[in-house]
Amino acid sequence: MNQVERFEEVDAPPETVWNVLLELEDELRRTALSRSLEAVPVVGDRLGADRVPTGIGRAVFEPEVRIAEENRRLVRLERIGVPYALDSYHEFHLEPIDGGRRTRLLQRETARGALVPVLFDERRLGREFEDRNRLIRERSEPRTRA
């Protein structure tokens, strides 16, 4: 089992961060989806095919929502092929801090399966998580100030 996680503190309440997270997820998947995400994703929803770059080409994932707790947590399973070839759990956790005025955002990916040594690139994922977390912060904070 391999895991990558990155934190970001956001000067915005969890509700704002949640909305930005869903908007960003929708933007990232719009070309792969025929519909956009609901306000609250539903457990079991398939989010469409997602082609992800790897060290040896592009892998195709079909993310499935596993946990959707509005303003708190979104977890999806991304699987290549059959179970345990590469199963990857991608999580977003939003923890209220400073009396709910701010949010601690955690993005985590946990992968297991036979293809982990070939396809799981911890450094690349870490950079992508930092970039995405920063983008969520940059889009969330102005909404709070407005």
Side-chain angles (χ1 to χ4, degrees):
M1 179 170 72
N2 292 48
Q3 190 173 76
V4 173
E5 61 182 24
R6 295 294 188 270
F7 291 89
E8 185 85 23
E9 291 198 2
V10 182
D11 290 330
E15 298 80 17
T16 301
V17 176
W18 176 260
N19 289 330
V20 169
L21 169 63
L22 293 184
E23 289 168 10
L24 182 58
E25 288 288 292
D26 187 35
E27 286 175 25
L28 293 173
R29 300 197 184 286
R30 191 163 304 202
T31 57
L33 291 175
S34 60
R35 61 179 172 75
S36 52
L37 290 174
E38 302 294 326
V40 178
V42 176
V43 172
D45 272 358
R46 295 258 179 209
L47 301 179
D50 190 10
R51 287 170 173 66
V52 178
T54 68
I56 61 169
R58 296 182 81 76
V60 177
F61 288 93
E62 189 177 13
E64 177 186 345
V65 175
R66 287 297 178 102
I67 299 171
E69 298 172 1
E70 189 172 11
N71 303 325
R72 294 192 56 231
R73 194 168 135 193
L74 177 63
V75 180
R76 61 183 190 245
L77 169 64
E78 300 171 343
R79 174 173 283 157
I80 290 183
V82 298
Y84 305 109
L86 178 61
D87 288 352
S88 180
Y89 287 87
H90 194 112
E91 306 174 52
F92 293 93
H93 294 260
L94 285 64
E95 177 187 346
I97 55 177
D98 293 338
R101 292 184 309 276
R102 301 178 68 232
T103 304
R104 181 172 294 117
L105 169 64
L106 164 66
Q107 189 175 178
R108 174 188 302 141
E109 183 122 355
T110 306
R112 63 180 178 208
L115 297 177
V116 167
V118 178
L119 298 178
F120 193 78
D121 184 341
E122 292 181 33
R123 277 185 261 177
R124 181 187 54 79
L125 274 176
R127 286 190 305 273
E128 288 177 6
F129 288 4
E130 290 165 5
D131 291 345
R132 187 178 306 176
N133 287 353
R134 183 174 38 257
L135 182 59
I136 291 169
R137 178 178 47 80
E138 289 171 352
R139 289 187 180 188
S140 297
E141 290 178 348
R143 294 180 187 196
T144 302
R145 290 186 214 117

